[in-house]
Amino acid sequence: MPNKRPITSEDLFKISNVGEAQISPCNGKFVFVKTTIDEDQEYRSHLHFQRFDETSSVQWTFGKVRDHSPCFSPDGKKLAFVSNRSGKSQIWVISTEGGEPQQVTQSKNGASNPVWAPCGTQLLFKTSLKLDQDESVFDQEEKKKEKKKSEPLVVNRLKYKSDGAGFHNETYQQLALINIETNEITELTSGRFSYEPSSWSPDGKSIALSANLTDDADYQIVSDLYLLNVETKELTLLTDHNGVYTNPTWSPDGKTIACFGNEREYLGATINQIYTIDIHTKKKKCITETWDVHITDAAISDMRSGHPNPGPIWSNDGKTLYFTGSENGNTSLYAIDENHEITPIFAEEGHVYGYTFDEDRKFAIIGLSDASNPGDLYKIVLGEKKKTRLTYINEAFLSEVHLSIPEPITAKASDGWEVHGWVMKPHGFEEGKKYPMILEIHGGPHAMYANSFFHELQLLAAQGYVVLYTNPRGSHGYGQKFVNACRGDYGGKDYEDLMAAVDFVLENFDYIDQDRLGVTGGSYGGFMTNWIVGHTNRFKAAVTQRSISNWTSFYGVSDIGYFFTKWEIGACFQEDPEKLWYHSPLRYVKNIETPLLILHGENDYRCPIEQAEQLYIALKHQKKDTMFVRFPESNHELSRSGPPHLRIERLNHIVNWFNEKL
């Protein structure tokens, strides 16, 4: 529309995120979490209540805090949630009739993941405990003390750090219960293992959880399912150390567990399936094995990161399971019945990033985004092919900005494989005029660009660029063979897929200026950007973000390097360092003539900043056209959940580089 302005990087401050919806057992209302960036350029999250017969919500929590993970008590009279309002994140409870929230945990290292017991008097939660100090969940929060002198970090574990979490420092995630009426705390787990809570049995006697309790847990990338007897604390193994199983949920009769998982047949490129497990016989059955679709949400966006998944949801009669799946650039809501027949519940074009069901399983609330909306909540009545919009979170913002609506494309690679993607026209597009184009490459690589809102892509279109983004082989959404096809071949057919997409749009869209092409991407997309500029000069400018340049050093410095290089490149350092070096963009750095901007977070443990340092020095030493921007306080998630002011800086550097070079 001519009266709408182009989107800007600073519009990030105007966009709100809505999610984590939960329906009250009373069914007349629901709660959700709204996240904004305030005047201090800090993230704030608050709980909002809304009735189904109304189109506006009431904010229930306030302040310069982050409130999230809401969970209704079985009778709907209380709501538990996680908040950092007392400093560290702790569990709080508020009456749904109103009043002030009350803090119920005071764990020294914080608490998270509240799950109500069926009796409604106990809450299961997770907390981090440190072994070497013999900490207990009973310990109260530490009072402010004088600043301690720095101490050395003694490392004995293989996996001693994680992106976002930092150094583990001998801490483990343990489970505990708190009685809301008496404040009594019961420790359920301990020792040198971490546990992930999931769900209570209908009779309240057992908890389903996931953990890696193998003798060599540091070396085996597995996640098993266990049942924890609440009274005896005895653990019963349900799986067999052969895969990754998560999000276990109980059938209504308490006889069966459903979960997501896979047996790692293709290691990190294995698509998720749904399994059911008889808790008495331990017999495990894959009920989606004939459906070549990745179960759960594989779509990526810079508007949200790490949205919680409730797991497979059972119908009240125990004959149906509800879940999301990722296919052809969409994440949709599906059902599978007792005959293993799969039907779509909601499968319109878009990205279903969250879902929750009412107690009677008659309707659901989904979080839905598409190219024109960062996300809103919708009510889906089962059996009816329509959705009712419940929220209008970004209505004011969307009314003032112009958005470019992507046009889907399908290109053919040299071997005949199809490559799905999208093209966005620039703001102010005029027929007969030529425009520069930027190729965007997603990370993962086992992820999926989708029909979802992407601020960065909209920003580039607003700056006058055609934007091309695709799902080359290695991406989720197109079956097991497709997602596995890049393993051991990084820079091979995946590179050809991207070039085939570029060739296709240049041939079919005459408004693209083939002499003004740019390329950018992050993580695997950063690797591929590095690879591209080392193998062709067709791009006149490039921006590599949180990238990989040297697989040989990545093996030892990344929090996942010791297994990821073997899984994805097909070799580890000790066995075949030559193969790691062959697939390393740094090997081809002498060929790079494309002006290259290098962006990297200093606290990135996934793709550590030394990857960027090596690339920059190698280019600068040759007096190549390059610039290096280091972002403090930033990990691998900078573009999605990093400090807001640095996210803006990152976007501005990208735009300025392309504006200068193209």
Side-chain angles (χ1 to χ4, degrees), residues 560-579:
I560 62 173
Y562 62 94
F563 67 85
F564 193 81
T565 50
K566 177 71 172 181
W567 284 14
E568 295 295 316
I569 305 303
C572 66
F573 178 77
Q574 300 90 332
E575 296 173 353
D576 194 354
E578 290 79 13
K579 183 169 176 58

Side-chain angles (χ1 to χ4, degrees), residues 19-26 29-34 46-50 58-61 67-83 85 90-104 114-116 120 122-123 180 356:
E20 296 189 78
Q22 294 292 316
I23 301 172
S24 168
C26 303
K29 56 190 175 183
F30 61 97
V31 64
F32 62 89
V33 177
K34 179 180 177 182
H46 296 107
L47 305 182
H48 290 246
F49 274 75
Q50 186 170 325
V58 176
Q59 185 172 333
W60 268 50
T61 61
D67 299 331
H68 57 92
S69 305
C71 180
F72 280 105
S73 61
D75 61 7
K77 294 181 179 180
K78 297 183 181 69
L79 185 77
F81 63 98
V82 177
S83 177
R85 59 188 56 228
Q90 301 288 355
I91 310 298
W92 294 67
V93 172
I94 188 172
S95 168
T96 55
E97 299 300 319
E100 290 294 319
Q102 302 297 315
Q103 182 176 345
V104 297
V115 186
W116 287 96
Q122 293 193 103
L123 269 172
I180 300 302
T356 185

Side-chain angles (χ1 to χ4, degrees), residues 520-537:
T520 186
S523 196
Y524 165 82
F527 156 82
M528 186 54 71
T529 298
N530 297 341
W531 185 269
I532 286 172
V533 296
H535 287 78
T536 179
N537 290 329

Side-chain angles (χ1 to χ4, degrees), residues 432-493:
K433 189 175 179 180
K434 293 278 190 178
Y435 295 91
M437 185 185 81
I438 296 173
L439 169 66
E440 284 265 7
I441 309 170
H442 68 63
H446 311 307
M448 179 182 77
Y449 274 135
N451 289 301
S452 190
F453 188 88
F454 218 113
H455 177 235
E456 179 181 326
L457 305 187
Q458 291 289 347
L459 175 63
L460 291 173
Q463 288 287 320
Y465 296 101
V466 177
V467 181
L468 169 65
Y469 56 108
T470 70
N471 286 323
R473 67 192 72 190
S475 304
H476 272 308
Y478 308 91
Q480 181 62 80
K481 183 178 179 181
F482 193 89
V483 74
N484 186 58
C486 73
R487 289 179 57 233
D489 189 40
Y490 274 39
K493 292 295 184 182

Side-chain angles (χ1 to χ4, degrees), residues 429 431-434 505-513:
F429 175 79
E431 292 287 351
K433 189 175 179 180
K434 293 278 190 178
V505 297
L506 290 178
E507 182 179 345
N508 289 275
F509 299 93
D510 58 8
Y511 53 80
I512 300 173
D513 186 344

Side-chain angles (χ1 to χ4, degrees), residues 291 293-294 296-297 320-336 342-357 362-371 373 375-390 448 451-452:
W291 200 47
V293 172
H294 178 72
T296 68
D297 178 18
T320 303
L321 286 165
Y322 304 102
F323 60 95
T324 53
S326 302
E327 187 176 21
N328 297 322
N330 298 303
T331 300
S332 304
L333 184 65
Y334 297 93
I336 183 168
I342 298 171
T343 56
I345 300 299
F346 180 84
E348 295 180 11
E349 190 174 276
H351 173 199
V352 176
Y353 58 83
Y355 58 101
T356 185
F357 283 77
K362 293 181 178 179
F363 66 91
I365 293 178
I366 62 171
L368 177 65
S369 175
D370 58 34
N373 189 348
D376 269 304
L377 301 178
Y378 294 80
K379 180 180 178 180
I380 306 295
V381 178
L382 300 188
E384 296 183 11
K385 295 183 178 180
K386 67 175 184 177
K387 64 180 186 291
T388 302
R389 189 170 178 176
L390 299 172
M448 179 182 77
N451 289 301
S452 190

